[in-house]
Amino acid sequence: MMHIKSWFSNFLAHSYLKEINNKKLEKYCLELKRTNKGRTLSNYGGWQSDDLSLETPALASLIKTIREEIPFFENLFSLKKEYALKLINIWANINNHTHMNRPHDHPRMILSGVYYITAPPKSGELRFMNPNPADFDTINKIVDTWNVYNSGEVFFKPEPSKLIIFPGHLLHYVLPNQTKKSRISLSFNISVKEFI
């Protein structure tokens, strides 16, 4: 009889932050967009802010909550005691009709994440690509039920108040917003400062 041991695992962690004031964050992001040209990185259409100060009062509650999650991941990764994970940066995203994000990862970042402020239905799934090489064209034709061993992609539907944290090396992208309403989110990176 064969014995299975899982190695080279990845994870996608999520929770709902009902205590965060999304109306306040939405107002902050919309005002930021009005006064800030922003930048283009993985975004195709849409607007992305420059990195925001981690001392921004409007972000204080969310940043505090993200920082409270860090010890869980330090334990998950079995970090050496002399190293600590830190919130490195945070930025705002506003994607309107047809706007999307191309496949990308976050180099040198141990963790990355996104918090959804507004997320109408059909406003664009966040999709993660399996980093393990495999012939997914063939696998897709023969698989009956998807699981951690045979999936080429996995996705999360955006929902207001949803926080998602994932390994920064995972390739991910966002499908086009199919609605006339904005999907507004804040994205962030967590890493060990000494290695950035």
Side-chain angles (χ1 to χ4, degrees), residues 49-60:
S49 75
D50 294 316
D51 286 352
L52 306 171
S53 169
L54 297 178
E55 306 304 318
T56 303
L59 305 177

Side-chain angles (χ1 to χ4, degrees), residues 1-156:
M1 175 173 202
M2 298 296 292
H3 300 280
I4 296 290
K5 281 189 132 182
S6 293
W7 286 100
F8 311 121
S9 296
N10 284 294
F11 64 87
L12 304 171
H14 74 279
S15 63
Y16 293 91
L17 308 182
K18 297 300 184 182
E19 70 280 3
I20 303 295
N21 186 335
N22 284 343
K23 287 289 183 195
K24 181 179 170 185
L25 285 177
E26 179 180 3
K27 183 178 177 183
Y28 169 75
C29 290
L30 291 171
E31 178 62 20
L32 196 61
K33 181 184 176 193
R34 194 180 69 74
T35 59
N36 182 310
K37 182 178 145 188
R39 64 188 181 193
T40 301
L41 294 175
S42 69
N43 47 314
Y44 186 79
W47 175 84
Q48 183 179 104
S49 75
D50 294 316
D51 286 352
L52 306 171
S53 169
L54 297 178
E55 306 304 318
T56 303
L59 305 177
S61 182
L62 177 62
I63 287 174
K64 178 178 181 287
T65 302
I66 292 168
R67 284 178 170 151
E68 287 170 352
E69 296 293 341
I70 288 176
F72 171 83
F73 293 101
E74 289 175 329
N75 185 55
L76 185 71
F77 282 115
S78 296
L79 257 62
K80 294 178 180 177
K81 294 194 186 322
E82 63 265 32
Y83 297 112
L85 293 176
K86 301 284 183 195
L87 182 61
I88 302 299
N89 60 350
I90 191 166
W91 64 93
N93 310 285
I94 300 178
N95 283 357
N96 295 318
H97 184 61
T98 73
H99 297 161
M100 58 179 284
N101 289 76
R102 298 177 184 95
H104 65 285
D105 63 1
H106 296 233
R108 299 181 313 284
M109 299 301 160
I110 304 296
L111 299 167
S112 295
V114 60
Y115 175 75
Y116 292 103
I117 299 166
T118 65
K122 298 186 179 179
S123 61
E125 296 171 351
L126 172 59
R127 292 190 168 234
F128 294 91
M129 302 165 75
N130 189 331
N132 299 313
D135 182 1
F136 288 110
D137 284 340
T138 300
I139 291 171
N140 288 341
K141 293 172 187 167
I142 62 174
V143 165
D144 180 49
T145 305
W146 301 109
N147 61 43
V148 297
Y149 300 109
N150 63 23
S151 298
E153 288 189 343
V154 67
F155 67 89
F156 277 94

